[in-house]
Structure formats: structure tokens, C-alpha cells
Amino acid sequence: MGLMDRIRGEFIDIIEWTDDSRDTIVWRFPRYENEIKMGAKLVVRESQTAVFVNEGQIADVFTPGTYTLETQNLPVLSTLKGWKYGFHSPFKAEVYFVTTRQFTDLKWGTQNPVIVRDPEFGMVRLRAFGAFAARVVDAAALLRELAGTDPQFRTEEVQEYLRQLIVGRLATALATAGVPMLDLATRQDGLGARLAGALTEELAPVGIAVPKFIIENISLPPEVEAAVDARSRMGIVGNLDQYTQLQAADAIGDAARNPGAAGEGVGLGVGMALGRRMAEGLTPQQPPAAAPAPAAPPPLPQQQWFIGVGGAQQGPYDSAALSGLISAGTLTRTTLVWQNGMSGWLPAEQVPEVERLFGSVPPPLPPQA
């Protein structure tokens, strides 16, 4: 501060603050070496409170009005400093102006979903956002607990603290409200009033109140919203058959908006299915047709055999095919055979079902002269 500022500080005897911002909560009056002359005028406007701080200790708090700073108006500070009467006897003190109007442009929202137990849908994750208003109701407590010696304490310095406090209270309010999820939209005002009261009580030690708390929206996860939409649509259509027809009609509309050939084919198929359903609905009900006569039973399954010839697997063969292989000499008594159910390959002569085939097959003709 230069020489002219120091001289000006010796003659200016009006202490006031006209707020040209919308987010300043506390503003410290600048004065050269914090010297305030005896008899200076203090102007405290509506929506303001002036707090005198002497050597880190709050001395006096002034509500709206105009004051002449003399010992009779500052009994506490007079005791602290031992003032002397006279125009040239300044005292050193800090003057903080505190805004007491409502700050209404404060926003809040849940960064992570809040899990609540709903009587109809079970555990549900909810997100919410809105706005709230805050105001200072105890300027001395605000300076002691939050602002401290900050020469310009703004809303952004306390907004995150308030948001975290709100989110913490919101989970408890939603869990203990006993309001079904589908009725939350009609009870948002009541929940907001409850939260405003709870937050005001919580913030009383720091001198802040929350006169208004607004819940703008409570949203559900996408999958839950889809389930609610499906349930509401089923309630509108009345029964499952009509709901199926409604889904088919939606599919036709989606296919019509799809210019590709695949979309046209899907739309045509769904349209034909819907047409059949509508035709069935318009056709008079016919008595059920008589049940057809029972068909003849199918033939018994044939046993399937595999043989090993020259280290290679051949088959499957039925019993008749095995007889032909025996006649051709391909299948001998020592040939390995296997069928489903056997633990491993065995020579044909050790398998009774195959051994019997050798006796039913005539031996080869003797050589002709």
C-alpha cells in the first residue's frame, strides 16, 4: 500500500461493503494496518452482518444499520483494548462483512448410485440430483468454523462440503422414507422438506442453514426402467396375447424405418405373422379336430458293429453285413470287433453275438477239378 493509500486511510471514516458478486459469503474490509479511527461510521446493509475481530478473537457482531464506532457501542472491544476517548486514538481490528442472503444457485447430485430396498422391486440403485439454498444464520460461528481469516470466502469453497453432506443424508432419507419406488415422484417435495430440516440441524454448529432443498429428479438404472416400461405396457394392453401383437406392430414400424433389405424381410415376416394372428382372431372358433390314429411302432434298432482290419477301423455294420464279411473272409474268428457298451476290442470268437454268425455261414466251396 502506497503513501496516498495510507493518507486516505487516515481520513476515510466510513466502513461499508457493496457486494458486486453473487458468490461471496465473507469479505474482509481493507484498511491500512487494520487501523480504524474512533468515531468512524459503520454501515451494515440488509442481508449483511459485520463482525469485529481483535487479535483473532471475535469482539462484536453488528446487524443491519448505521453505527458510530465509539466505546459505548463496542463494550466488549472497549474492555479488550482499553480505548481512550478522542478522534486521534485509532484502534486496530479486522472487520468482516458476512452475507446473510440466500444463495440459491447451489447444485447437488449423487456421484455414485444409492442402494435402497424397495418393497416391490427389491434392491434398487437410485441416482438423484437437484438444487438447494443456503444462508448464514450465525456469522460468528461461520468465521470460527469455516471461513477463518480468508479475506474473501466464496460459495465454491464450501459447496463440495455441503454436497457430500447432502449425499450422505440422502441415502438415509430414502432408506427410511418407506416410500415405494414408483411413488417417489409424488413425494419429492416431502423428502426435500425433511432433508432441509435435517441438513439445517447438521450445519447449525457452522452457522449455516438450508431453507430450501429441491429434488429435481430421481432416476433408475436403464434395466430397471426397461422393466417398468414393459410392465406398464402390459397393464395398458390388458393381456399377453395383445401385448405380443403390440410388439409385432412395433417390429413392423422398426423394419419400415430400416432401408436395408434385411429390415424389409424382417418386416415382411413379422407382418405376415401378425396377419395370421389377426385372421385367426377373426375366424370363428372351430371344435378341436379328432386326434389321429396311433401310428405303427418303428422297427427295432439294429446292433451296430465295428471291426479292425489291417490296423484300421471299419463300420458300422449290422448283423447281416457281418455275415457277408464272414463269407468274404474279411471277418475271421480272430478279427477284433467292438460295439457300444463293450469295454474294449475283443476277437470275434470271444463275442457270443458274433461267434454265432460263423456257424450260420456255410464254408467256402471246395476247389473244383
Side-chain angles (χ1 to χ4, degrees), residues 300-305 316-320 322 339 353-354 356:
L300 293 174
Q302 297 291 328
Q303 289 180 321
Q304 300 294 317
W305 295 90
Y317 303 108
D318 57 12
S319 298
L322 290 181
Q339 73 166 347
E353 293 88 342
V354 182
R356 287 194 295 269

Side-chain angles (χ1 to χ4, degrees), residues 101-108 130-137 162 166 188-201 203 208-216:
R101 68 171 180 85
Q102 292 190 32
F103 293 90
T104 59
D105 56 348
L106 303 177
K107 304 293 183 180
W108 67 272
F132 67 98
R135 65 182 306 175
V136 179
V137 294
L162 296 178
I166 287 170
Q188 288 182 181
D189 290 343
L191 289 174
R194 287 182 54 188
L195 285 169
L199 292 171
T200 297
E201 182 179 357
L203 293 170
I208 297 177
V210 179
K212 188 66 175 179
F213 188 88
I214 302 173
I215 301 176
E216 295 184 19

Side-chain angles (χ1 to χ4, degrees), residues 62-79:
F62 289 87
T63 56
T66 301
Y67 304 89
T68 301
L69 300 182
E70 297 176 350
T71 54
Q72 57 266 32
N73 293 332
L74 295 165
V76 176
L77 191 57
S78 176
T79 303

Side-chain angles (χ1 to χ4, degrees), residues 98-353:
V98 181
T99 302
T100 57
R101 68 171 180 85
Q102 292 190 32
F103 293 90
T104 59
D105 56 348
L106 303 177
K107 304 293 183 180
W108 67 272
T110 55
Q111 185 174 2
N112 297 312
V114 177
I115 301 178
V116 299
R117 187 181 300 276
D118 186 78
E120 185 173 359
F121 292 91
M123 288 189 296
V124 180
R125 294 179 292 112
L126 300 178
R127 292 182 180 271
F129 64 88
F132 67 98
R135 65 182 306 175
V136 179
V137 294
D138 188 341
L142 179 72
L143 288 178
R144 283 194 298 264
E145 302 296 334
L146 291 181
T149 59
D150 191 343
Q152 192 169 11
F153 186 70
R154 298 179 178 272
T155 56
E156 62 184 15
E157 300 179 55
V158 73
Q159 187 169 1
E160 181 60 22
Y161 166 71
L162 296 178
R163 191 196 67 80
Q164 294 175 357
L165 185 63
I166 287 170
V167 173
R169 283 286 185 173
L170 180 66
T172 303
L174 291 176
T176 60
V179 180
M181 183 187 66
L182 298 179
D183 298 333
L184 283 176
T186 61
R187 302 287 293 275
Q188 288 182 181
D189 290 343
L191 289 174
R194 287 182 54 188
L195 285 169
L199 292 171
T200 297
E201 182 179 357
E202 182 81 13
L203 293 170
V206 297
I208 297 177
V210 179
K212 188 66 175 179
F213 188 88
I214 302 173
I215 301 176
E216 295 184 19
N217 182 58
I218 299 178
S219 60
L220 304 171
E223 60 273 14
V224 179
E225 290 183 350
V228 172
D229 292 340
R231 180 175 297 187
S232 63
R233 297 180 70 185
M234 291 179 64
I236 293 174
V237 299
N239 57 55
L240 185 59
D241 185 64
Q242 294 179 1
Y243 180 62
T244 304
Q245 296 179 16
L246 178 62
Q247 285 186 316
D250 290 343
I252 292 175
D254 294 339
R257 289 189 293 270
N258 185 358
E264 295 174 1
V266 172
L268 179 59
V270 174
M272 294 176 61
L274 180 60
R276 287 196 299 269
R277 294 298 301 273
M278 295 177 64
E280 292 172 0
L282 296 175
T283 303
Q285 297 293 329
Q286 300 293 334
L300 293 174
Q302 297 291 328
Q303 289 180 321
Q304 300 294 317
W305 295 90
F306 295 87
I307 65 174
V309 178
Q313 173 184 309
Q314 297 182 8
Y317 303 108
D318 57 12
S319 298
L322 290 181
S323 298
L325 294 174
I326 293 174
S327 300
T330 304
L331 175 60
T332 67
R333 295 179 182 275
T334 59
T335 302
L336 296 177
V337 297
W338 179 88
Q339 73 166 347
N340 188 21
M342 295 175 57
S343 59
W345 293 80
L346 292 174
E349 60 184 1
Q350 298 182 16
V351 180
E353 293 88 342

